């Protein structure tokens, strides 16, 4: 209750302050705010309630009512966070107003703040929901990765980060299309991709999955069957390719020489075995 009272007083003053006007607080209001500030041990106690309110008013004049709401939601510390954000003050206001205290770490972390400024609200939601671990993923793959993370639970978000960190996601060659599938089907898709990451490393299998992901996710099609098809088909085509080679340009000289060498080798082997057998009989 005490915290609410001091915040209400600060916001009232901030919203009514104008940079061209001085503050005309009554002594009772000033003393009340300062007393509450001392009790809280907050920034208001350190700098004086009047100075805090003046800074809040300047932010409200610069960024509008959203700044006042952000300060009301987070408290006096929001003033320093917005000021330290510098040219990204408006984005800091947006984060604090939407996510409150959960967004404080983003504003304090330059890399996180940079990708939020670059890509927008989806990134903010992904960062708040899953924390610092997703920064490299979003930094590399952009807003699509952020949208995918927005539909995943904590476990599947970690799985996606691990696939990216290990390089497996990149090795699949069509990572953006995989991300599109995750955006559309969420945890169901990520569960499937994680369980079948080995099979999906094969180009033909991945192509089949991306062509009709819903069929695989619903069990109508099986990745193992697709993989088997792509092993059997090339083997079945070998006789046809061999026949075609014979018809179009076999080097018969090499074939005859090879057969001759094989016959000679068999003859020498049989003679060697016969000699060994004769020696064994004589020894006995």
């Amino acid at each position: 209750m005490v915290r609410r009272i001091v915040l209400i007083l600060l916001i009232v003053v901030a919203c009514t302050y104008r940079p061209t006007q001085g503050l005309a607080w009554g002594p009772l209001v000033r003393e009340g705010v300062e007393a509450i500030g001392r009790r809280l041990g907050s920034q208001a106690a350190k700098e004086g309630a009047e100075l805090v309110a003046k800074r809040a008013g300047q932010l409200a004049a610069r960024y509008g009512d959203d700044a006042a709401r952000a300060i009301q939601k987070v408290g006096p510390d929001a003033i320093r966070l917005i000021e330290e954000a510098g040219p990204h003050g408006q984005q800091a206001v947006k984060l604090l107003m939407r996510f409150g205290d959960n967004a404080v770490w983003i504003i304090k972390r330059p890399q996180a703040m940079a990708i939020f400024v670059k890509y927008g609200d989806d990134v903010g939601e992904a960062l708040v929901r899953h924390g610092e671990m997703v920064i490299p993923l979003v930094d590399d793959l952009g807003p699509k990765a952020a949208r995918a993370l927005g539909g995943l639970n904590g476990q599947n978000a970690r799985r996606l980060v691990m696939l990216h960190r290990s390089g497996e996601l990149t090795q699949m060659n069509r990572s953006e299309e995989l991300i599109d599938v995750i955006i559309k089907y969420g945890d169901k898709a990520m569960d499937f991709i994680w369980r079948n990451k080995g099979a999906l490393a094969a180009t033909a299998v991945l192509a089949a999955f991306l062509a009709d992901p819903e069929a695989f996710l619903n069990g109508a099609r099986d990745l193992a069957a697709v993989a088997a098809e792509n092993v059997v088909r090339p083997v079945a085509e070998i006789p046809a390719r061999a026949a075609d080679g014979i018809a179009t340009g076999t080097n018969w000289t090499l074939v005859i020489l090879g057969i001759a060498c094989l016959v000679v080798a068999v003859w020498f082997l049989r003679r060697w075995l016969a000699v060994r057998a004769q020696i064994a009989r004589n020894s006995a």
Side-chain angles (χ1 to χ4, degrees), residues 166-263:
S166 67
E168 292 172 276
L169 189 63
T170 304
Q171 290 168 6
M172 291 179 185
N173 295 324
R174 300 172 69 176
S175 57
E176 285 197 14
E177 293 172 79
L178 273 174
I179 294 294
D180 286 335
V181 173
I182 297 170
I183 291 172
K184 185 173 183 179
Y185 297 102
D187 286 317
K188 188 175 184 180
M190 192 62 235
D191 282 333
F192 184 88
I193 292 168
W194 180 257
R195 291 196 313 270
N196 297 282
K197 56 185 177 178
L200 291 171
T203 302
V205 176
L206 178 59
F209 173 69
L210 292 175
D212 188 11
E214 191 166 358
F216 291 96
L217 296 178
N218 293 334
R221 294 190 67 187
D222 183 49
L223 285 182
V226 175
E229 289 172 8
N230 284 275
V231 170
V232 171
R233 187 181 297 113
V235 173
E237 291 173 355
I238 289 175
R241 290 198 297 268
D244 184 62
I246 291 173
T248 56
T250 301
N251 191 328
W252 290 104
T253 302
L254 290 178
V255 172
I256 292 170
L257 286 174
I259 293 172
C261 290
L262 180 62
V263 170

Side-chain angles (χ1 to χ4, degrees), residues 29-69:
V29 175
R30 182 185 296 109
E31 290 173 8
V33 173
E34 290 175 352
I36 295 171
R38 286 193 297 271
R39 183 175 175 181
L40 289 174
S42 67
Q43 185 176 353
K46 295 176 183 177
E47 299 182 7
E50 186 171 334
L51 178 58
V52 171
K54 180 178 179 180
R55 290 168 60 195
Q58 290 170 341
L59 293 178
R62 185 180 306 168
Y63 301 117
D65 293 342
D66 287 349
R69 295 190 185 99

